[in-house]
Amino acid sequence: SSSLYEEEGKKNLFLRLEQLNQYPDFNNYLIFVLTKLKSEDEPTRSLSGLILKNNVKAHYQNFPNGVSDFIKSECLQNIGDSSPLIRATVGILITTIASKGELQNWPELLPKLCLLLDSEDYNTCEGAFGALQKICEDSAEILDSDMLDRPLNIMIPKFLQFFKHSSPKIRSHAIACVNQFIISRTQALMLHIDPFIENLFALATDDEPEVRKNVCRALVMLLEVRLDRLLPHMHNIIEYMLQRTQDHDENVALEACEFWLTLAEQPVCKEVLCGHLSQLTPVLVNGMKYSEIDIILLKGDIEEDEAIPDNEQDIRPRFHRSRTVAQQHEGDGIEDEEDEDDELDDDDTISDWNLRKCSAAALDVLANVFREDLLMHILPLLKELLFHPEWVVKESGILVLGAIAEGCMQGMIPYLPELIPHLIQCLSDKKALVRSITCWTLSRYAHWVVSQPPDVYLKPLMTELLKRILDSNKRVQEAACSAFATLEEEACTELVPYLAFILDTLVFAFSKYQHKNLLILYDAIGTLADSVGHHLNKPEYIQMLMPPLIQKWNQLKDEDKDLFPLLECLSSVATALQSGFLPYCEPVYQRCVNLVQKTLAQSMSQPEQYEAPDKDFMIVALDLLSGLAEGLGGTIEQLVARSNILTLMYQCMQDKMPEVRQSSFALLGDLTKACFQHVKPCIADFMPILGTNLNPELISVCNNATWAIGEVSIQMGPEMQPYIAMVLHQLVEIINRPNTPKTLLENTAITIGRLGYVCPQEVAPMLQQFIRPWCTCLRNIRDNEEKDSAFRGICTMISVNPGGVVQDFIFFCDAVASWVNPKDDLRDMFYKILHGFKNQVGDDNWRRFADQFPMPLKERLATFYGV
């Protein structure tokens, strides 16, 4: 193929250049071609300069002194070349030399460039400004440090003078230079903040789009760092940004639209924007229509493309989210990590960020700020859009409806009984782009759909979504698969009656999908397994689902990145099927162990300078092994016995990469639960490593290590004693640390409780140092095995060291009351401690103490424990 020859050609050229680099004069020759050889055409001269730039990047420290001095002086003499291309090339070359630490060794550079700004000759001024802009972009930190004697004190006032220059190109350079120093709150700029803002206002209606764009960008950044200075002018700024968000130049409009996104994050947003909502809402809504160019780029006129293979470049790299162990809470399934899935990624192949997406994102965040107050401005617009005969307008209305779903949900509820059926109808619109956005919008209302009687909305929605999963348009397939995954998460076991129907569709999609959508299909199947759990474990379902998955599994090579989503999917399926997964277990287990072994071997054998092996394979494999251990429990024992997984795990637990350690600790915990007899001989080696990983800076690593210690202690019993000192102090420190995430606090509390359960004499003396945060964070989690063993631990420790709990006894009472139905013997323990305390202090003191209790707590303790 031609690309091969091109590669060969490049290689040869590269080798020739490498050989030429042996000649000290080669770089002199390159600078000569760039700046002096006017007989050559400009592209050739520019190329010569770019080759020189690459040499500077690679070998600058080896240039002989004479050569580097000659290159520097030539650059400064030719920064004003009459050709824009040559000026830009010289500018790039100057910046590259400057960024090689040469700003310090080239003291005349900045003063000279600043001097050239005053040149009468336009080319010289523009060339110098171009170079300065690149230096400001590349070296902002050094410019604002003591290393260079603070040149910005001179440069920034100088740049400000050029805001009023007659040439638009130069005005634009000047703002771009100053803009580099806003976010870092550079002192030199903060001293001139008022003249800077005045100058920006003066350029607000500049004829040059590039200037308007830079003005908008500056105001957006100032909103973050110097809101105090903008507030007095806020009314006018908002009016101005409203104009600019409708600028006929899309780049200007996009920069201006960022303003609303940034403003929404500021506490003053509500106060300063409420009076402008009626003007802003239609502007944002209008920006949400596809532009004509969008539709061309999206091939929006091609309705059927399911048979066209994907362009491999379009497939984004996937990131595996490593396993984190979390507790269940009252009234929910598992704690939701923030939903990343339902962001507006409906047209991810266009230049990613555009006015449509920015407007939709702004409407989304503003809906969260203003709630119903925004809705009153949107509803009249929505009526018109949703039923519009032109598909582009109707499509934007459906996007609006999805964008406000989160913020305006309460206010939308009265309209949903009429809107959801309309949207379900739109799922069969003749335009693919309408069908795909409708999938997304419906997924944003999935929570409400699931809260209604299933026959009314859930069943029709599911039926239509499943048809869309088999759409003949790839973008619709993708949107439908993602929406269906969201619906699965919301509906959970409500889907059980329809399982056969759902699996039919998903399995059929296997034979139909091109590469990119297959990866999303894996996710939909994994989410289904997570959502319905053991209900999937029926022979007829397994017969439908497993053969296509295993067929893919056998097709993929060990180096194939598609293994990631497939392994994740199998992990969920194994956990759901439990014993039903047994027939497939051995080959899957073996391959995971091999993937870990292979990756470890590669990273051992390769010296540092080479590309490190892709450790994601190892991480995903460890996570699938965890899934197998969790799903198959004790039946995994023979597989563990016949493999070297524990040796491999010992290496993974010491890997440099945090995610590898995180996943290996999760696996350690799961294997401890499944077949401790194989883990036990290694505990003396594992425990010190667990102790050193209790560093709350790396939250997930720390979390999984903490959880694993708790699981190990339950299995070890009193034999845990020698290891308590390795971990207890860190755990007590973490539970008392401010701003620690809830999941980590809960796991820390459970592990402290479990350590106290097996070794009360060692842990009880510390009781006073953790009892209060311990009680506060465990009162919110559901009754379960982990909570049970942790509370047994606390009760045992209280009986060893009753003094440790006296000052915080009210917190203990509250935590006890959080149990819905503790096992009988645990309830007895609570009873004894409560009555023991009451008898100890006497009735009067107890009454005074109990008077501080909130009413519900008083009632629960009286009802359940008679105190």
Side-chain angles (χ1 to χ4, degrees):
S1 78
S2 63
S3 62
L4 196 73
Y5 290 120
E6 282 166 27
E7 285 303 316
E8 280 305 309
K10 277 189 207 150
K11 232 186 214 155
N12 290 334
L13 178 64
F14 186 70
L15 289 171
R16 297 248 326 269
L17 291 176
E18 280 298 306
Q19 287 155 359
L20 287 168
N21 270 328
Q22 310 306 312
Y23 301 103
D25 288 347
F26 181 49
N27 292 308
N28 285 348
Y29 168 71
L30 289 171
I31 191 81
F32 173 78
V33 175
L34 172 66
T35 58
K36 296 279 196 292
L37 198 60
K38 310 272 168 152
S39 56
E40 274 296 335
D41 64 351
E42 286 175 11
T44 306
R45 289 170 57 202
S46 170
L47 181 64
S48 178
L50 293 174
I51 293 171
L52 177 55
K53 174 205 77 157
N54 288 336
N55 281 346
V56 166
K57 261 196 162 138
H59 309 291
Y60 191 73
Q61 60 290 357
N62 307 332
F63 282 19
N65 265 352
V67 175
S68 45
D69 290 344
F70 177 60
I71 293 174
K72 286 175 177 177
S73 71
E74 281 297 296
C75 281
L76 283 174
Q77 272 170 355
N78 291 278
I79 190 71
D81 193 284
S82 57
S83 145
L85 178 64
I86 301 297
R87 287 202 298 275
T89 311
V90 172
I92 289 173
L93 190 50
I94 288 177
T95 319
T96 310
I97 295 173
S99 66
K100 292 299 279 184
E102 283 297 299
L103 272 175
Q104 295 91 305
N105 308 334
W106 193 358
E108 67 274 23
L109 173 64
L110 294 171
K112 177 79 183 175
L113 288 175
C114 286
L115 198 63
L116 293 175
L117 292 183
D118 295 324
S119 161
E120 292 296 303
D121 173 44
Y122 167 77
N123 293 337
T124 305
C125 176
E126 198 278 325
F129 238 136
L132 279 166
Q133 184 180 332
K134 293 186 186 88
I135 291 171
C136 290
E137 285 166 9
D138 288 356
S139 309
E141 274 101 67
I142 292 186
L143 290 174
D144 187 32
S145 69
D146 288 325
M147 289 165 76
L148 299 177
D149 201 25
R150 306 239 168 236
L152 291 179
N153 294 337
I154 297 156
M155 287 162 67
I156 285 181
K158 180 108 191 156
F159 295 153
L160 291 174
Q161 293 166 6
F162 284 87
F163 278 36
K164 303 223 167 57
H165 195 278
S166 58
S167 148
K169 188 101 171 91
I170 288 179
R171 293 197 296 275
S172 179
H173 278 313
I175 311 177
C177 283
V178 180
N179 280 358
Q180 295 305 319
F181 303 102
I182 300 176
I183 290 293
S184 57
R185 297 183 167 78
T186 302
Q187 189 57 40
L189 174 55
M190 294 300 131
L191 292 171
H192 298 92
I193 196 79
D194 292 330
F196 173 47
I197 292 174
E198 275 163 42
N199 277 326
L200 284 176
F201 291 165
L203 293 179
T205 51
D206 201 292
D207 294 335
E208 173 62 31
E210 197 58 29
V211 172
R212 296 197 301 275
K213 188 179 98 176
N214 281 328
V215 169
C216 290
R217 182 174 289 171
L219 288 169
V220 171
M221 292 190 285
L222 286 167
L223 196 55
E224 279 187 54
V225 298
R226 288 311 302 261
L227 183 61
D228 58 316
R229 280 292 182 265
L230 296 187
L231 272 177
H233 316 282
M234 204 43 128
H235 181 80
N236 295 342
I237 294 175
I238 288 173
E239 292 287 323
Y240 171 66
M241 283 300 190
L242 275 166
Q243 293 304 305
R244 286 290 72 81
T245 308
Q246 304 168 76
D247 201 288
H248 44 258
D249 184 298
E250 167 149 357
N251 293 320
V252 179
L254 178 57
E255 277 305 331
C257 193
E258 295 279 354
F259 182 83
W260 313 113
L261 265 181
T262 306
L263 183 58
E265 290 165 6
Q266 306 298 325
V268 297
C269 176
K270 225 171 168 162
E271 185 188 328
V272 298
L273 201 53
C274 58
H276 303 270
L277 279 184
S278 56
Q279 296 156 278
L280 174 58
T281 311
V283 171
L284 291 176
V285 167
N286 200 32
M288 287 161 75
K289 286 205 290 280
Y290 277 126
S291 63
E292 283 168 33
I293 185 86
D294 286 343
I295 295 171
I296 294 166
L297 287 172
L298 279 171
K299 309 193 176 64
D301 48 346
I302 299 179
E303 294 297 323
E304 292 194 18
D305 61 357
E306 64 173 340
I308 305 168
D310 293 329
N311 180 352
E312 291 299 314
Q313 277 77 29
D314 292 345
I315 298 178
R316 289 196 186 167
R318 281 184 85 271
F319 296 106
H320 169 67
R321 275 196 16 219
S322 310
R323 221 172 152 91
T324 312
V325 187
Q327 294 302 320
Q328 302 223 320
H329 291 72
E330 278 311 317
D332 65 29
I334 196 92
E335 264 302 271
D336 272 345
E337 294 299 317
E338 280 301 289
D339 280 340
E340 297 93 357
D341 314 343
D342 65 350
E343 251 66 293
L344 290 161
D345 54 0
D346 56 310
D347 40 24
D348 52 9
T349 39
I350 313 194
S351 66
D352 260 79
W353 192 236
N354 53 25
L355 185 60
R356 165 187 166 89
K357 288 196 166 181
C358 191
S359 306
L363 194 63
D364 184 351
V365 289
L366 289 169
N368 276 297
V369 173
F370 287 99
R371 311 237 165 223
E372 276 54 80
D373 300 345
L374 181 76
L375 199 53
M376 54 185 266
H377 301 293
I378 293 230
L379 283 172
L381 301 170
L382 265 179
K383 288 204 177 69
E384 203 172 306
L385 299 173
L386 286 173
F387 301 92
H388 200 281
E390 272 177 67
W391 76 265
V392 178
V393 180
K394 176 176 167 180
E395 193 277 347
S396 72
I398 298 171
L399 173 58
V400 169
L401 193 56
I404 61 171
E406 197 186 344
C408 300
M409 182 57 91
Q410 277 319 102
M412 283 305 297
I413 287 174
Y415 306 98
L416 292 179
E418 169 188 356
L419 278 175
I420 297 293
H422 174 63
L423 287 173
I424 292 174
Q425 257 181 330
C426 294
L427 281 176
S428 34
D429 194 277
K430 58 180 198 301
K431 291 301 289 184
L433 288 170
V434 173
R435 299 198 297 276
S436 62
I437 197 64
T438 306
C439 290
W440 178 75
T441 292
L442 277 163
S443 76
R444 302 267 289 176
Y445 290 95
H447 187 75
W448 181 83
V449 167
V450 171
S451 70
Q452 304 298 303
D455 283 350
V456 191
Y457 306 107
L458 179 60
K459 203 172 168 186
L461 169 58
M462 196 178 57
T463 312
E464 286 306 308
L465 258 187
L466 288 171
K467 287 184 196 158
R468 293 293 66 84
I469 286 180
L470 303 179
D471 201 276
S472 57
N473 177 281
K474 291 194 288 190
R475 172 167 286 100
V476 180
Q477 295 170 357
E478 176 184 2
C481 251
S482 300
F484 195 70
T486 305
L487 184 64
E488 289 170 336
E489 286 174 352
E490 292 291 350
C492 292
T493 49
E494 298 275 339
L495 297 178
V496 173
Y498 316 107
L499 264 174
F501 186 38
I502 294 171
L503 285 169
D504 240 353
T505 305
L506 297 180
V507 170
F508 188 68
F510 255 110
S511 54
K512 192 177 169 73
Y513 276 13
Q514 297 293 343
H515 186 177
K516 182 180 176 194
N517 286 350
L518 256 185
L519 305 183
I520 298 162
L521 180 61
Y522 293 142
D523 183 54
I525 291 173
T527 308
L528 179 67
D530 293 339
S531 304
V532 300
H534 64 91
H535 297 283
L536 197 56
N537 190 10
K538 290 225 172 77
E540 63 271 30
Y541 298 157
I542 298 176
Q543 219 16 70
M544 292 166 80
L545 182 58
M546 287 309 295
L549 285 175
I550 293 296
Q551 188 197 348
K552 290 289 174 202
W553 170 263
N554 292 331
Q555 280 169 7
L556 293 176
K557 298 199 167 45
D558 275 357
E559 322 30 81
D560 196 325
K561 289 265 200 306
D562 286 7
L563 270 177
F564 296 170
L566 179 54
L567 282 159
E568 286 175 20
C569 168
L570 280 171
S571 183
S572 296
V573 170
T575 309
L577 292 185
Q578 300 190 337
S579 61
F581 197 77
L582 268 176
Y584 308 96
C585 184
E586 186 153 5
V588 174
Y589 179 90
Q590 238 8 87
R591 185 169 192 178
C592 287
V593 173
N594 292 344
L595 280 169
V596 175
Q597 188 146 13
K598 229 178 183 172
T599 314
L600 282 173
Q602 279 174 333
S603 63
M604 298 283 181
S605 66
Q606 283 183 348
E608 285 302 305
Q609 67 267 31
Y610 289 109
E611 185 74 14
D614 195 332
K615 288 193 176 164
D616 280 354
F617 284 104
M618 176 155 81
I619 295 166
V620 182
L622 289 166
D623 285 348
L624 175 46
L625 287 169
S626 282
L628 292 178
E630 192 184 332
L632 299 168
T635 39
I636 200 170
E637 183 272 322
Q638 305 126 351
L639 294 172
V640 174
R642 292 200 298 263
S643 68
N644 60 342
I645 185 65
L646 287 156
T647 319
L648 298 174
M649 241 167 59
Y650 181 61
Q651 289 171 281
C652 292
M653 288 164 66
Q654 299 173 79
D655 198 273
K656 284 204 296 289
M657 192 175 174
E659 290 79 1
V660 176
R661 301 202 301 277
Q662 172 184 339
S663 291
S664 61
F665 296 144
L667 178 56
L668 171 60
D670 283 316
L671 287 179
T672 296
K673 288 170 81 163
C675 52
F676 189 62
Q677 67 271 43
H678 297 304
V679 178
K680 192 171 182 182
C682 313
I683 289 300
D685 294 323
F686 289 172
M687 280 307 301
I689 301 174
L690 287 164
T692 51
N693 276 280
L694 296 177
N695 162 18
E697 296 303 311
L698 295 170
I699 291 169
S700 302
V701 179
C702 183
N703 180 67
N704 289 4
T706 302
W707 174 74
I709 292 168
E711 289 299 339
V712 167
S713 63
I714 288 295
Q715 300 292 337
M716 291 284 283
E719 294 175 62
M720 194 67 186
Q721 192 267 327
Y723 307 110
I724 301 281
M726 293 178 186
V727 299
L728 186 58
H729 283 276
Q730 296 95 300
L731 293 170
V732 171
E733 205 168 302
I734 291 166
I735 202 169
N736 282 294
R737 204 167 155 265
N739 305 328
T740 304
K742 201 163 69 177
T743 306
L744 178 54
L745 283 177
E746 290 164 358
N747 277 320
T748 305
I750 282 173
T751 294
I752 291 175
R754 288 177 150 193
L755 291 170
Y757 181 47
V758 296
C759 298
Q761 299 299 336
E762 280 65 33
V763 187
M766 310 268 294
L767 199 52
Q768 199 175 342
Q769 294 174 48
F770 61 75
I771 183 74
R772 188 176 194 160
W774 191 96
C775 292
T776 326
C777 76
L778 288 191
R779 64 186 299 270
N780 296 319
I781 71 167
R782 285 195 191 173
D783 295 7
N784 63 14
E785 280 308 313
E786 304 195 357
K787 183 170 174 175
D788 179 272
S789 56
F791 270 84
R792 286 171 195 274
I794 275 294
C795 293
T796 315
M797 288 189 277
I798 290 175
S799 59
V800 173
N801 175 16
V805 73
V806 172
Q807 287 167 313
D808 298 305
F809 200 69
I810 187 167
F811 291 93
F812 176 72
C813 296
D814 180 52
V816 166
S818 77
W819 277 87
V820 184
N821 35 16
K823 294 183 181 154
D824 291 344
D825 57 338
L826 181 60
R827 185 186 298 247
D828 289 342
M829 292 167 112
F830 293 157
Y831 184 93
K832 286 199 179 83
I833 291 174
L834 291 170
H835 280 273
F837 188 83
K838 184 178 173 180
N839 300 337
Q840 197 69 39
V841 297
D843 283 351
D844 289 352
N845 287 334
W846 175 263
R847 204 169 306 113
R848 236 171 291 159
F849 174 64
D851 281 344
Q852 313 165 45
F853 291 177
M855 214 47 227
L857 175 56
K858 243 191 187 139
E859 284 165 8
R860 285 195 79 141
L861 290 177
T863 313
F864 289 107
Y865 301 100
V867 291

